[in-house]
Amino acid sequence: MSFSLSKIVVSPEGEQLYTFEYAALITETSITVVEVYVKLGIIDAIGDLLHSREIARIAQIQRLRQDLGLNLVGAAMVLDMATEIAQLRAQLKVHQSYSSNTL
């Protein structure tokens, strides 16, 4: 299945989706790399389409691999941990806000 780079596809949530070809172009990788990331579960695809956040994740992984010399699994783990830390910080902020309002 082939898509034009200019084709606009929107998810049921109203978010724009992008082709593997577009993701490869933007992240300066190849379609094969994008497909491997999907097969390994490093990024999530909707059929042959990706959310912009998944394209950003590809770019971040590429930077971690090039700049820090991390392997693919290590780069994915760093991003997963960073996401988890951000979520925990947000939860802590909500908890602190709730605690200070009940005093």
Side-chain angles (χ1 to χ4, degrees), residues 17-72:
L17 302 174
Y18 302 91
T19 63
F20 287 9
E21 293 89 349
Y22 179 81
L25 177 70
I26 294 299
T27 59
E28 299 178 356
T29 60
S30 68
I31 296 168
T32 303
V33 167
V34 175
E35 290 170 341
V36 167
Y37 286 12
V38 171
K39 286 179 186 173
L40 293 174
I42 292 172
I43 60 170
D44 295 321
I46 301 171
D48 289 338
L49 300 171
L50 301 169
H51 284 98
S52 60
R53 66 181 168 268
E54 299 303 326
I55 296 172
R57 185 172 169 88
I58 294 169
Q60 291 168 330
I61 288 170
Q62 292 301 104
R63 277 195 305 274
L64 288 168
R65 295 185 76 194
Q66 292 168 1
D67 296 348
L68 300 179
L70 297 178
N71 64 23
L72 182 57

Side-chain angles (χ1 to χ4, degrees), residues 45-102:
I46 301 171
D48 289 338
L49 300 171
L50 301 169
H51 284 98
S52 60
R53 66 181 168 268
E54 299 303 326
I55 296 172
R57 185 172 169 88
I58 294 169
Q60 291 168 330
I61 288 170
Q62 292 301 104
R63 277 195 305 274
L64 288 168
R65 295 185 76 194
Q66 292 168 1
D67 296 348
L68 300 179
L70 297 178
N71 64 23
L72 182 57
V73 173
M77 288 177 65
V78 165
L79 292 179
D80 290 344
M81 287 188 297
T83 299
E84 188 171 344
I85 288 168
Q87 291 170 344
L88 289 170
R89 285 182 175 160
Q91 290 174 358
L92 179 60
K93 190 173 185 177
V94 167
H95 177 72
Q96 288 172 336
S97 174
Y98 176 76
S99 295
S100 65
N101 289 335
T102 58

